[in-house]
Amino acid sequence: MKQSLQLKVSQQLTMTPQLQQAIKLLQLSTLDLQQEIQSQLDSNPLLELSEDDDSGNASTEDRNAAADDSATPAPSEDFSKPEPEAQTDSGNEEWNETIPDELPVDSQWDDIYSAPVSRTTSTGSASDDDFDMESRNAGTESLQDHLQWQLNLSRCSETDQLIAMAIIDGIAPNGRLTLSIDDILASFEDYPDIEAEEVLAVLHRIQQFDPPGVAARDLQECLDIQLRQLPTDTPWLAQARDVVGQHMELLGSRDYNQLMRRTRLKEEQLKQVLTLIQTLNPSPGELVSPLSTEYIIPDVFVRKAEGRWLVELNPDIAPKLRINTHYASLARQCESSSDNAYIRDNLQEARWFLKSLQSRNETLMKVASKIVEYQRGFLEYGDEAMKPLILHDIAEAVEMHESTISRVTTQKYMHTPRGIYELKYFFSSHVSTDSGGECSSTAIRALIKKLVAEENPRKPLSDSKITALLAEQGIQVARRTIAKYRESLAIPPSNERKRLV
């Protein structure tokens, strides 16, 4: 092998740690950003929370500290001052005086440290504190816990108890049983005496538990259980049980004409029966363990003032940070010890982090302002006035790369007078119109929703009819596109939307 020297010229993009940190903060959601800030506060002693808004500007603190190298700034917190003595009442003083200096080995706590009654009355009842703590830390009861509590109150043998526990474990959060009788029976291979009839008997017993309709194997059984638990004098109860038990397929397909022929009910009578069936709950488990509500904290606020749309960042999404001036002054000393080097490194990291936070806020503000400028019609008139918008349009307007715009608009939310929307919501594809213009897919979805809301319930609009109605407005959309948009709006097809007036 022959050795040789070669000279090459190449271009390479290297991401510095500062750039990597800025990109990381840019794509974080509000919750993740708060966790990242807390992590930096825990790991970097040069960062601290700013209690005063006027002194919360880290760059101002930094410039003031660098302007006067000779003077040593005061620390942010003065630990040299003694803490004020706690105020104690006379009862507490007497209680402290009664404690002896030396205690016998076999002494008991209650014999010596018996607090007076006035101590409890001055600070509140201990039972109230315990109650508040339990109420704050109490978790939401699950459906399984609710059913097991009822099972413990019922009298049954040990074998039935085991079968009931297996059935309860197989119930989904919506209250539906996800296991078949054979699956439950197969789990008791070590108990050959258990038969399918016994499992079915225990299942019927659990189906009488609260909430009504729990442990049903399908929708038909769920509705039938709830009807059987209603009072016998409920109007149209027998007819409703007949419809659910014998004509569930016709009810699901909304074939009301055939349903009236089979049940021999008139239209007004069938309406009363359907009204009773609609009072039933197809997901009874959600009554016990409702879905937890997730609250969204907006990153940007948009409001209209004096005819102009104003954009401002949410000041509460992240705590205000600053550099500890006391530690920063120590970094300017000429010592070359390892402690001083540690402080200087953390000072530099703190400055990078604050600069990355500022860059994130500036980028978010630029992108949000441009989105509001493009989608002013949506803010004024609603979804039907939404304009087509892609990432390239905003990237070109703010002179940034499309990947940066994608990071900024992901998991970032804007609070508008019409509601809270993710920034991604304002981007949509376009469809050409007969006049040569463009219509966004969001506006088309809004038009579909409006047409369905205004349709005749006896004759719902089909996808082809909606396509024709949009074509009359100059919007050319294929029928399959209408079907796709309708499904995205959770609107059922026309045969399932048909109902009696």
Side-chain angles (χ1 to χ4, degrees):
M1 180 181 294
K2 182 179 180 181
Q3 296 181 352
S4 62
L5 296 176
Q6 295 181 354
L7 182 63
K8 293 183 179 180
V9 180
S10 62
Q11 292 183 348
Q12 185 178 3
L13 178 61
T14 303
M15 295 181 63
T16 61
Q18 300 93 321
L19 182 58
Q20 294 178 4
Q21 185 182 57
I23 294 176
K24 177 183 177 182
L25 294 181
L26 195 61
Q27 62 188 4
L28 292 180
S29 62
T30 301
L31 181 60
D32 295 335
L33 178 64
Q34 294 175 353
Q35 295 177 352
E36 180 66 21
I37 291 176
Q38 186 61 44
S39 176
Q40 291 290 333
L41 287 172
D42 296 339
S43 61
N44 194 334
L46 270 294
L47 282 176
E48 64 178 4
L49 292 175
S50 177
E51 299 179 357
D52 189 2
D53 294 342
D54 297 335
S55 61
N57 193 339
S59 59
T60 305
E61 294 278 352
D62 219 5
R63 289 195 297 269
N64 294 339
D68 189 6
D69 293 342
S70 59
T72 302
S76 58
E77 296 185 17
D78 190 0
F79 297 98
S80 60
K81 297 181 181 180
E83 296 183 356
E85 296 181 358
Q87 297 180 358
T88 58
D89 53 13
S90 59
N92 292 340
E93 292 177 357
E94 295 177 357
W95 177 61
N96 294 332
E97 291 176 357
T98 57
I99 302 177
D101 296 335
E102 296 183 0
L103 301 177
V105 178
D106 58 348
S107 60
Q108 299 292 329
W109 175 271
D110 296 335
D111 298 338
I112 306 299
Y113 300 97
S114 57
V117 178
S118 60
R119 180 179 178 87
T120 304
T121 57
S122 62
T123 58
S125 174
S127 61
D128 294 339
D129 296 340
D130 295 340
F131 175 78
D132 293 339
M133 182 62 67
E134 291 177 0
S135 62
R136 286 194 296 265
N137 296 335
T140 305
E141 183 184 24
S142 65
L143 178 61
Q144 275 72 20
D145 295 336
H146 186 64
L147 295 176
Q148 290 176 6
W149 171 72
Q150 298 176 74
L151 178 62
N152 294 333
L153 296 179
S154 60
R155 296 181 179 179
C156 56
S157 62
E158 295 183 1
T159 304
D160 292 346
Q161 186 96 2
L162 292 176
I163 298 174
M165 291 296 296
I167 294 175
I168 291 175
D169 291 340
I171 296 177
N174 62 354
R176 201 72 56 82
L177 181 62
T178 58
L179 301 177
S180 64
I181 299 297
D182 295 335
D183 295 336
I184 299 174
L185 192 61
S187 62
F188 293 101
E189 296 179 353
D190 298 337
Y191 298 87
D193 297 337
I194 298 179
E195 298 180 355
E197 290 76 9
E198 188 174 1
V199 175
L200 189 60
V202 176
L203 175 60
H204 289 162
R205 188 169 187 175
I206 295 179
Q207 289 176 348
Q208 305 303 316
F209 287 177
D210 182 76
V214 72
R217 288 163 287 183
D218 51 30
L219 178 60
Q220 181 178 7
E221 187 177 21
C222 178
L223 300 180
D224 185 64
I225 292 173
Q226 297 179 57
L227 290 173
R228 283 192 278 109
Q229 295 184 11
L230 292 177
T232 56
D233 58 348
T234 303
W236 307 103
L237 178 59
Q239 292 82 354
R241 291 194 60 184
D242 179 60
V243 170
V244 171
Q246 304 297 331
H247 312 289
M248 192 66 183
E249 294 182 0
L250 296 177
L251 180 63
S253 60
R254 297 178 183 266
D255 191 352
Y256 298 125
N257 294 329
Q258 187 69 16
L259 193 58
M260 285 187 288
R261 294 192 194 99
R262 297 284 185 88
T263 58
R264 297 181 180 180
L265 295 174
K266 297 181 180 180
E267 183 175 334
E268 292 298 327
Q269 295 174 338
L270 183 59
K271 285 175 57 178
Q272 297 295 330
V273 174
L274 296 180
T275 301
L276 176 60
I277 296 176
Q278 289 173 355
T279 60
L280 307 178
N281 189 355
S283 301
E286 296 178 357
L287 298 176
V288 177
S289 54
L291 299 178
S292 59
T293 304
E294 296 182 1
Y295 297 96
I296 296 176
I297 302 177
D299 300 82
V300 181
F301 287 106
V302 177
R303 59 185 178 90
K304 191 175 185 180
E306 299 180 357
R308 298 176 54 195
W309 288 100
L310 304 179
V311 182
E312 56 186 8
L313 295 177
N314 185 0
D316 299 329
I317 59 175
K320 297 178 177 62
L321 303 179
R322 67 179 179 185
I323 294 179
N324 189 299
T325 54
H326 176 62
Y327 289 141
S329 63
L330 298 178
R332 293 192 300 271
Q333 298 179 3
C334 300
E335 299 179 2
S336 59
S337 62
S338 59
D339 295 339
N340 199 20
Y342 172 79
I343 294 177
R344 286 197 302 269
D345 293 341
N346 281 275
L347 176 61
Q348 187 64 33
E349 291 181 3
R351 289 172 176 170
W352 289 343
F353 186 73
L354 294 178
K355 186 177 180 180
S356 299
L357 283 178
Q358 183 179 1
S359 176
R360 179 186 187 273
N361 294 335
E362 292 175 354
T363 304
L364 182 59
M365 188 68 179
K366 287 181 182 179
V367 173
S369 300
K370 284 298 177 182
I371 291 177
V372 171
E373 182 180 345
Y374 272 84
Q375 301 295 356
R376 192 174 302 166
F378 164 79
L379 298 174
E380 295 282 356
Y381 306 106
D383 291 345
E384 297 180 15
M386 180 80 75
K387 293 182 179 180
L389 184 64
I390 58 177
L391 295 177
H392 177 73
D393 298 335
I394 300 297
E396 188 177 15
V398 299
E399 298 180 352
M400 294 181 180
H401 197 269
E402 294 183 23
S403 61
T404 304
I405 306 302
S406 178
R407 292 187 180 97
V408 174
T409 55
T410 301
Q411 295 183 342
K412 312 296 189 304
Y413 295 89
M414 177 184 294
H415 184 280
T416 69
R418 295 189 174 274
I420 298 178
Y421 300 90
E422 188 180 8
L423 296 185
K424 288 282 189 184
Y425 177 79
F426 298 96
F427 296 88
S428 60
S429 57
H430 66 276
V431 175
S432 301
T433 60
D434 293 341
S435 60
E438 294 179 346
C439 183
S440 69
S441 59
T442 304
I444 295 176
R445 288 186 177 93
L447 291 174
I448 294 174
K449 189 175 181 180
K450 181 179 180 182
L451 291 174
V452 171
E454 297 175 352
E455 68 183 2
N456 183 3
R458 287 182 175 272
K459 286 185 172 183
L461 297 175
S462 62
D463 296 340
S464 300
K465 184 60 177 179
I466 295 176
T467 303
L469 293 176
L470 293 180
E472 294 177 0
Q473 302 181 22
I475 303 175
Q476 299 295 334
V477 186
R479 187 196 60 80
R480 59 181 179 274
T481 305
I482 295 296
K484 182 180 68 174
Y485 289 167
R486 176 181 53 76
E487 292 175 358
S488 66
L489 294 172
I491 298 176
S494 58
N495 63 327
E496 297 182 8
R497 299 200 306 271
K498 185 178 180 181
R499 64 179 185 271
L500 297 176
V501 182

